[in-house]
């Protein structure tokens, strides 16, 4: 249940005799004490459904053993779960990762030791004992001797020399622990009847690899007078023999034993016992070693420091952790965790410098690592969580300490950006919107971009303008790319506590960043800014990158058109327009968006000349009631299955071409390969077309005057409606036709009431040319950055041919069940659960359209005479505009790389 970490930097207890204790350490002692008092920040958290009992960290991955018998594999860079290894039938109690990192060893309550290939995650060997050893608490591996050591519940230490694996006979099936008779459960019942056993070994979990059985002579019985809880293999333990490997074990008897490893067969012999003079020592629960000093964790927060040169106990520390189940060393610090869920941190002088609550439960394992020059502390507990802690104060080299990766800095900028409540729809957040805009401008300014605030009409939020200028030598011929985005967000009051975390505090969990606006649209904006900044720093920016980031997109881009028109001279000419304000169709295949629907929002109001009346007193067939008139009028707008009845409404819609039909074939083939439950390919294609390239009309809400009771005849009735338009439908024309049609139909009611139709907002649809150079450049960048296709589930789904090439979606005969965005997001399969038909095929993006609207994009195309393209950065399950909005960390990093490639390569087209 503990893990060990070998790292340099902790001095000797008395401050002398250690190669690390020199003038430099003394000079920095005071600064380090102040610096190290900083409580580590939680960078990320990964949740599981079972307790985390063991941890091991490689140069790129975190391995976590669980109570359910799995080994979870997470990326150290993105914290994304790479694999779930079904490792054992019982809880995984120990993990061991040798220095070469090519194999991983796991021990469990099976009782089995499995050896895994860390590249393929396949099992290489399965090892068990001749005897019933109970739980195997810990495992260690000698790379020099090629020998595996295990510590067991039956107090034995056993070993297996892998050099002998092909020389020994294959163990019989009957020797497998699951085939042996259990003295309790397999004893005879009444009348001597035995419960029948299933023939053959049940392989519910790990499969494959070579079965190995420990020879009876490779067992040291009663190595401890108690359970063998922890082990480690280290060098520098024996005076005069610093290069010799020594096995160290700690047990329930409170003793620490040092074992010499024999050259032949890996056998062990006792060198000495470390005892503190207690008559009955309390259990040794965890071990960590650095140079000639050994650290052991005991119950009730006791940590012992042993000098291995003199074999003496030289310090005894007290941590407020309860039983010390996890010890880790790193960067000159000792970390102790235990049953209280707290971590205690000690400096090189064994002073308590900080403590923090790491888990809502027992800390069962920990590890320290340095990844990309970033010090990271990892914890696991029985709250089924893994915590990733930023411990930058543990970096001792100033050059490394001051170096932060651009990805780390990008997440830091994003954290602050998300903290601003830039909700444009609520006046009380007007000041927050202004502060958010000012912060964004400061980011641009710090990166050397020329900036200006473009004011919109009061009281609307300003537009942040910024320009990264390219290579001065190419000033006369530099191309110009305009990136459009918005810093305002949808409200997230969280009054019903549906968010897992504060919506305006960026929080990392399970490879995702959670926070309002992280996906729509703050994450993509920051990724694009850092891409331009990196190119400028590398002197590889040969184009001008212009940013227009507005603060009213979620409220219909109020004031945007007028502000851009008035500042067109400042913005200058534009060659291409790029935006990133949407999501993939599912969670696996990158997409490019080439079409958006437009929108008209309107209010239909009917009002009578009389006041609110009582239905019992004044209700009669002679009275024209506004609600009745409104219902009858709205019923004229649509027919069966939502068909819009406004004359000529569908006439301008462009027919479906052969080329576009092929795009739908690619989409359905990809979606159904990963998610067969989506059903028939043709039905799915029609459903998507109806969302993307069919115009529609929606009635959103009704409002009436008067008190809310069942006897009132309201004097006023109002309805909010919207119309989604598709390319070639002009919003101004459709709006005028809507008003005319409603007035015409209302006249036929012969009502004494008054009708008022108000156009509240309108935006043009957009259709891009997916064959042009900006889409081609985006496609190449996506394929380069995302690499091979994600594994998809093998499927025998038949993709039918189509012959309805020239029918609009409104004319398609069948009416499929719609595949909504929620359906596609919830049906996305986990990467762990899918197989790959062609794992090395480049990940070509899907070309899609969308049913939503972005008011500014068609305006910008017309105003600057430049083609636009739309890069979705997020996934279908991002929950934009909903509770728990999120963005996958790897999507953020890869989006930055895609922007960088496009900014660099598009001007060369």
């Amino acid at each position: 249940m503990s893990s060990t970490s070998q790292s340099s930097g902790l001095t000797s207890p008395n401050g002398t005799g250690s190669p690390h204790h020199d003038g430099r350490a003394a000079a920095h002692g005071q600064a380090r004490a102040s610096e190290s008092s900083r409580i580590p920040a939680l960078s990320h958290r990964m949740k599981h459904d079972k307790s985390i009992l063991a941890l091991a960290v490689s140069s790129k991955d975190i391995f976590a053993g669980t109570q359910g018998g799995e080994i979870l594999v997470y990326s150290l860079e993105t914290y994304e779960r790479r694999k779930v290894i079904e490792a054992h039938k019982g809880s995984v109690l120990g993990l061991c990762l040798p220095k070469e990192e090519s194999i991983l060893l796991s021990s469990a309550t099976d009782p089995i030791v499995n050896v895994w290939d860390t590249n393929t995650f396949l099992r290489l060997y399965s090892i068990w004992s001749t005897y019933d050893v109970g739980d195997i608490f810990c495992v260690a591996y000698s790379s020099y001797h090629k020998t595996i050591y295990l510590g067991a519940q039956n107090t034995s230490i056993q070993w297996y020399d892998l050099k002998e694996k092909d020389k020994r006979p294959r163990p019989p099936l009957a020797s497998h622990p699951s085939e042996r008779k259990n003295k309790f459960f397999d004893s005879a019942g009444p009348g001597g009847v035995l419960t029948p056993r299933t023939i053959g070994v049940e392989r519910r979990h790990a499969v494959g690899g070579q079965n190995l059985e420990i020879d009876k002579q490779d067992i040291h019985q009663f190595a401890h007078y108690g359970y063998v809880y922890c082990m480690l293999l280290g060098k520098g333990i024996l005076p005069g023999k610093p290069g010799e490997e020594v096995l160290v074990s700690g047990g329930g008897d409170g003793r620490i034993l040092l074992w010499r490893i024999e050259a032949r067969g890996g056998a062990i012999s006792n060198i000495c016992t470390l005892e503190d003079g207690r008559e009955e020592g309390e259990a040794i629960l965890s071990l960590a070693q650095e140079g000639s000093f050994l650290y052991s964790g005991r119950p009730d927060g006791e940590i012992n420091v042993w000098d291995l040169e003199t074999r003496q106990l030289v310090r005894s520390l007290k941590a407020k952790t309860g039983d010390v189940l996890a010890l880790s060393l790193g960067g000159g610090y000792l970390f102790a965790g235990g049953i209280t869920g707290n971590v205690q941190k000690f400096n090189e002088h064994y002073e308590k410098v900080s403590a923090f609550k790491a888990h809502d439960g027992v800390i069962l394992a920990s590890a320290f690592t340095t990844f990309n020059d970033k010090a990271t502390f990892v914890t696991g507990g029985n709250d089924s969580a893994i915590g990733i802690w930023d411990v930058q104060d543990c970096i001792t080299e100033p050059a490394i300490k001051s170096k932060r990766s651009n990805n780390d800095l990008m997440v830091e900028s994003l954290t602050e950006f998300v903290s601003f409540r830039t909700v444009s729809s609520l006046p009380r957040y007007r000041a927050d919107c202004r502060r958010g805009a000012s912060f964004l401008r400061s980011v641009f300014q710090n990166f050397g971009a020329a900036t200006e605030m473009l004011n919109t009409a009061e009281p609307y939020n300003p537009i942040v303008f910024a320009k990264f200028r390219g290579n001065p030598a190419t000033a006369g011929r530099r191309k110009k790319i305009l990136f459009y985005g918005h810093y305002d967000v949808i409200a997230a009051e969280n009054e019903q506590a549906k968010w897992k975390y504060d919506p305006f505090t960026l929080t990392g969990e399970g490879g995702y960043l959670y926070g309002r606006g992280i996906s729509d649209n703050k994450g993509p904006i920051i990724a694009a800014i850092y891409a331009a900044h990196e190119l400028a720093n590398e002197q590889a920016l040969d184009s001008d990158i212009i940013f227009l980031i507005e603060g009213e997109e979620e409220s219909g881009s109020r004031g945007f058109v007028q502000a851009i028109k008035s500042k067109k001279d400042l913005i200058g000419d534009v060659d291409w327009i790029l935006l990133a304000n949407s999501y993939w169709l599912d969670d696996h295949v990158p997409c490019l968006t080439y079409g958006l629907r437009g929108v008209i929002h309107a209010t239909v109001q009917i009002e009578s000349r009389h006041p609110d009346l009582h239905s019992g007193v004044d209700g009669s067939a002679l009275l024209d009631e506004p609600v009745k008139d409104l219902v009858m009028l709205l019923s004229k707008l649509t027919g069966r299955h939502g068909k819009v009845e406004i004359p000529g409404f569908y006439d301008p819609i462009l027919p479906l071409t052969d080329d576009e039909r092929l795009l739908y074939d690619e989409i359905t083939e990809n979606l159904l390969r990963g998610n067969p439950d989506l059903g028939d390919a043709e039905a799915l294609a029609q459903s998507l077309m109806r969302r993307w390239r069919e115009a529609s009309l929606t009635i959103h809400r009704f409002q009436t005057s008067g008190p809310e009771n069942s006897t009132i005849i309201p004097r006023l009735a109002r309805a909010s409606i919207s119309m989604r338009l598709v390319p070639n439908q002009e919003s101004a024309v459709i709006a005028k036709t809507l008003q005319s049609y409603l007035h015409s139909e209302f006249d036929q009611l012969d009502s004494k009431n008054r009708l008022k139709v108000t156009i509240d907002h309108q935006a043009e649809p957009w259709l891009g040319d997916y064959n042009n150079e900006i889409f081609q450049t985006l496609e190449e960048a996506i394929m380069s950055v995302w690499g091979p296709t994600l594994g998809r589930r093998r499927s025998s789904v038949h993709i039918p041919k189509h012959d309805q090439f020239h029918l609009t979606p409104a004319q398609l005969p069948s009416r499929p069940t719609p595949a909504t965005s929620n359906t596609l997001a919830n049906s996305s399969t986990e990467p762990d659960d899918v197989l790959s038909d062609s794992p090395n095929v480049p990940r070509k993006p899907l070309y899609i359209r969308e049913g939503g609207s972005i008011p500014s994009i068609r305006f910008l195309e017309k105003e600057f005479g430049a083609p636009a393209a739309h890069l979705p950065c997020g996934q279908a399950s991002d929950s934009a505009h909903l509770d728990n909005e999120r963005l996958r960390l790897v999507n953020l990093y890869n989006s930055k790389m895609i922007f960088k490639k496009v900014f660099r390569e598009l001007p060369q087209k």
Side-chain angles (χ1 to χ4, degrees):
M1 294 190 295
S2 63
S3 69
T4 59
S5 177
Q6 298 189 18
S7 181
S8 62
L10 210 66
T11 189
S12 61
N14 57 11
T16 61
S18 167
H20 302 291
H21 185 78
D22 53 17
R24 181 185 63 183
H28 290 289
Q30 186 174 358
R32 286 285 301 280
S34 172
E35 191 178 290
S36 62
S37 63
R38 181 173 67 90
I39 295 176
L42 180 65
S43 296
H44 212 85
R45 188 180 293 277
M46 287 86 87
K47 294 288 291 182
H48 190 54
D49 59 357
K50 298 289 191 305
S51 297
I52 307 299
L53 306 180
L55 288 169
V57 182
S58 72
S59 58
K60 62 179 182 178
D61 292 319
I62 298 168
F63 299 93
T66 77
Q67 185 182 10
E70 309 101 335
I71 298 175
L72 312 176
V73 187
Y74 294 94
S75 164
L76 261 176
E77 183 173 18
T78 65
Y79 309 123
E80 188 175 27
R81 196 177 74 191
R82 298 184 59 209
K83 186 71 177 176
V84 176
I85 304 172
E86 300 293 345
H88 291 272
K89 295 179 185 177
S91 301
V92 178
L93 301 179
L95 291 175
C96 173
L97 184 74
K99 277 189 175 181
E100 61 270 20
E101 298 186 357
S102 60
I103 60 172
L104 174 75
L105 292 83
S106 61
S107 65
T109 60
D110 296 2
I112 302 287
V113 170
N114 285 325
V115 181
W116 308 91
D117 185 311
T118 54
N119 291 315
T120 64
F121 304 122
L122 298 176
R123 188 170 69 174
L124 301 176
Y125 313 111
S126 181
I127 304 168
W128 60 79
S129 174
T130 307
Y131 299 102
D132 293 325
V133 298
D135 299 344
I136 301 178
F137 289 110
C138 51
V139 61
Y141 180 70
S142 168
S143 300
Y144 178 78
H145 294 284
K146 299 291 189 295
T147 302
I148 295 169
Y149 297 90
L150 62 89
Q153 186 178 9
N154 75 338
T155 75
S156 70
I157 294 177
Q158 307 187 20
W159 57 93
Y160 193 97
D161 183 357
L162 290 178
K163 297 190 298 296
E164 301 293 318
K165 61 182 175 61
D166 296 323
K167 301 176 183 177
R168 297 185 185 180
R170 178 168 297 188
L173 184 62
S175 75
H176 193 279
S178 65
E179 288 295 291
R180 300 174 191 166
K181 287 187 177 182
N182 184 286
K183 293 179 181 179
F184 177 80
F185 293 104
D186 293 325
S187 60
V193 178
L194 293 173
T195 302
R197 291 173 56 86
T198 303
I199 298 175
V201 178
E202 180 191 5
R203 294 300 187 189
R204 184 170 57 89
H205 289 303
V207 295
Q210 186 175 353
N211 290 333
L212 307 173
E213 185 178 48
I214 295 173
D215 193 282
K216 291 183 179 181
Q217 68 180 9
D218 295 337
I219 298 174
H220 195 298
Q221 301 283 11
F222 310 112
H224 284 264
Y225 302 121
Y227 301 164
V228 183
Y229 281 125
C230 47
M231 292 194 307
L232 62 82
L233 268 164
K235 293 183 179 180
I237 292 176
L238 297 180
K241 296 182 179 180
E244 184 174 336
E245 277 189 325
V246 173
L247 179 67
V248 182
S249 63
D253 55 359
R255 300 189 306 161
I256 299 173
L257 301 178
L258 275 57
W259 305 89
R260 178 174 282 108
I261 299 174
E262 304 297 334
R264 292 190 62 182
I268 59 173
S269 57
N270 184 244
I271 299 172
C272 68
T273 301
L274 302 181
E275 294 185 277
D276 56 4
R278 304 185 197 191
E279 197 168 306
E280 290 186 5
E282 294 179 312
I284 305 297
L285 303 173
S286 53
L287 289 171
Q289 181 241 342
E290 180 183 55
S292 60
F293 291 92
L294 181 71
Y295 306 87
S296 61
R298 282 183 150 165
D300 199 26
E302 183 179 352
I303 303 169
N304 297 147
V305 185
W306 298 86
D307 183 345
L308 294 174
E309 291 184 348
T310 62
R311 299 174 185 173
Q312 291 179 317
L313 175 64
V314 292
R315 290 290 293 270
S316 188
L317 311 175
K318 192 69 172 177
K320 296 179 180 179
T321 61
D323 298 353
V324 182
L325 303 177
L327 284 175
S328 292
L329 291 160
Y333 294 93
L334 172 68
F335 297 86
I339 63 173
T340 64
N342 295 322
V343 171
Q344 186 89 52
K345 179 180 171 187
F346 298 87
N347 67 9
E348 57 193 359
H349 304 294
Y350 300 109
E351 300 165 328
K352 300 175 187 176
V353 294
S354 67
F356 58 97
K357 183 73 170 176
H359 290 269
D360 295 325
V362 179
I363 297 174
L364 297 166
S366 67
F368 181 94
T369 188
T370 302
F371 178 75
N372 286 343
D373 297 329
K374 180 180 179 181
T376 300
F377 179 56
V378 186
T379 57
N382 71 347
D383 57 353
S384 306
I386 300 170
I388 310 295
W389 303 89
D390 183 357
V391 285
Q392 281 302 102
D393 56 313
C394 292
I395 295 293
T396 56
E397 296 295 330
I400 294 178
K401 190 168 186 178
S402 62
K403 181 181 178 182
R404 303 296 303 277
S405 74
N406 272 347
N407 282 345
D408 288 338
L409 295 172
M410 179 168 62
V411 173
E412 288 179 11
S413 296
L414 195 49
T415 299
E416 189 166 358
F417 195 17
V418 168
S419 72
F420 295 100
R421 297 173 182 261
T422 53
V423 181
S424 59
S425 62
L426 298 176
R428 67 176 175 272
Y429 291 124
R430 186 181 177 193
D432 292 79
C433 290
R434 298 290 173 136
R435 283 192 285 268
S438 296
F439 166 76
L440 187 60
R441 185 183 186 186
S442 72
V443 173
F444 283 117
Q445 289 174 327
N446 290 339
F447 288 159
T451 69
E452 188 170 321
M453 286 289 196
L454 309 186
N455 290 324
T456 56
E458 286 292 331
Y460 306 141
N461 295 316
I463 301 164
V464 180
F465 164 83
K467 179 187 283 189
F468 287 90
R469 291 187 172 87
N471 186 347
T474 61
R477 60 181 187 277
R478 281 202 304 260
K479 298 289 187 177
K480 296 176 177 62
I481 302 172
L482 171 62
F483 183 91
Y484 163 82
H486 65 93
Y487 61 83
D488 65 319
V489 299
I490 289 292
E493 299 304 293
N494 200 28
E495 292 173 348
Q496 298 179 347
K498 291 183 178 180
W499 284 76
K500 300 191 328 187
Y501 309 104
D502 176 3
F504 295 98
T505 299
L506 193 66
T507 306
E509 180 186 298
Y512 289 85
L513 300 174
Y514 287 81
R516 174 56 89 216
I518 179 65
S519 182
D520 182 13
N521 184 229
K522 292 182 177 181
I525 289 170
I526 291 294
I529 294 172
Y530 270 79
H533 160 62
E534 288 182 12
L535 284 174
N537 263 8
E538 297 164 9
Q539 298 183 343
L541 187 59
D542 293 328
S543 60
D544 289 348
I545 311 298
I546 301 164
F547 286 82
L548 289 175
I549 313 299
E550 67 159 312
E552 292 285 344
E553 196 273 346
E554 300 292 8
S555 298
S557 292
R558 300 174 298 194
F560 182 80
V561 169
Q562 297 80 358
I564 296 303
K565 285 180 177 289
S566 67
K567 291 292 185 177
K568 196 171 179 182
D569 290 342
L570 171 68
I571 299 168
D573 297 330
V574 172
D575 294 286
W576 299 284
I577 299 166
L578 179 61
L579 67 156
N581 193 18
S582 60
Y583 331 96
W584 300 350
L585 276 180
D586 65 4
D587 278 6
H588 306 301
V589 186
C591 299
L592 280 171
T593 303
Y594 67 93
L596 296 165
R597 292 195 294 188
V599 67
I600 293 172
H601 288 283
T603 301
V604 182
Q605 177 179 300
I606 296 178
E607 186 176 9
S608 69
R609 293 179 176 85
H610 55 69
D612 297 326
L613 301 173
H614 188 288
S615 62
V617 176
D618 296 299
S620 73
L622 295 176
L623 183 66
D624 294 325
E625 298 179 10
V627 173
K628 286 181 180 178
D629 285 354
L630 182 61
V631 170
M632 287 189 288
L633 184 60
L634 294 179
S635 71
K636 302 294 184 180
L637 288 175
T638 60
R640 291 185 63 206
H641 306 322
K643 183 179 183 296
V644 179
E645 299 290 355
I646 300 173
F649 181 76
Y650 293 106
D651 293 348
I653 298 177
L654 299 170
L656 182 69
T657 66
D658 293 4
D659 287 345
E660 191 176 4
R661 175 74 254 190
L662 293 175
L663 297 181
Y664 285 93
D665 288 348
E666 291 179 11
I667 291 168
T668 55
E669 182 177 359
N670 273 273
L671 290 179
L672 289 170
R673 186 181 299 133
N675 310 309
D677 292 342
L678 291 174
D680 178 72
E682 177 60 21
L684 177 58
Q686 288 188 27
S687 177
L688 294 173
M689 282 189 274
R690 289 177 186 244
R691 280 171 46 194
W692 296 348
R693 62 183 329 278
E694 179 180 355
S696 65
L697 188 149
T698 299
I699 300 172
H700 294 283
R701 67 183 67 88
F702 286 88
Q703 293 175 290
T704 60
S705 61
E708 293 185 6
N709 66 58
S710 59
T711 65
I712 296 301
I713 301 174
R715 67 170 182 81
L716 181 147
R718 180 186 298 129
S720 298
I721 67 171
S722 72
M723 305 174 74
R724 294 291 172 171
L725 312 180
V726 296
N728 221 38
Q729 286 181 311
E730 294 288 338
S731 64
V733 174
I734 298 295
K736 186 175 181 180
T737 303
L738 171 68
Q739 290 175 307
S740 175
Y741 177 71
L742 286 172
H743 280 286
S744 173
E745 292 295 320
F746 183 73
D747 290 343
Q748 295 183 35
L749 297 179
D750 191 27
S751 172
K752 294 182 175 60
N753 295 326
R754 296 186 298 269
L755 169 67
K756 182 180 180 182
V757 181
T758 305
I759 303 301
D760 304 312
H761 170 71
Q762 60 189 61
E764 296 289 347
W766 167 70
L767 185 65
D769 177 8
Y770 54 82
N771 292 310
N772 68 15
E773 54 198 5
I774 186 169
F775 276 102
Q776 291 172 3
T777 306
L778 281 164
E779 179 181 305
E780 292 166 2
I782 289 171
M783 293 172 70
S784 172
V785 169
W786 281 103
T789 54
L790 281 171
R792 310 294 291 169
R793 183 183 289 130
R794 291 190 179 92
S795 171
S796 57
V797 175
H798 175 62
I799 309 298
K801 300 297 181 183
H802 309 279
D803 54 6
Q804 302 171 2
F805 292 120
H806 300 290
L807 296 179
T808 67
Q811 298 169 309
L812 291 173
S814 61
R815 183 170 179 262
T817 301
T820 65
S821 56
N822 184 64
T823 303
L824 294 173
N826 290 337
S827 63
S828 295
T829 52
E830 290 288 337
D832 302 316
D833 304 328
V834 293
L835 299 172
S836 175
D837 289 318
S838 48
N840 296 315
V841 177
R843 191 175 310 181
K844 184 177 179 180
L846 297 176
Y847 282 83
I848 66 173
R849 289 164 69 164
E850 292 187 16
S853 308
I854 299 178
S856 302
I857 190 63
R858 182 63 182 140
F859 160 73
L860 289 172
E861 273 194 332
K862 289 180 177 179
E863 193 68 19
F864 292 99
H870 193 170
L871 172 70
C873 293
Q875 301 170 289
S877 62
D878 278 357
S879 297
H881 287 207
L882 304 175
D883 302 319
N884 297 307
E885 181 178 350
R886 66 183 190 175
L887 179 67
R888 192 167 58 150
L889 200 54
V890 69
N891 283 55
L892 177 69
Y893 294 164
N894 283 356
S895 294
K896 183 194 73 173
M897 295 170 64
I898 291 169
F899 290 136
K900 191 173 178 180
K901 282 180 172 290
V902 171
F903 291 161
R904 181 176 57 239
E905 296 169 9
L906 182 57
Q908 301 171 8
K909 298 292 184 180

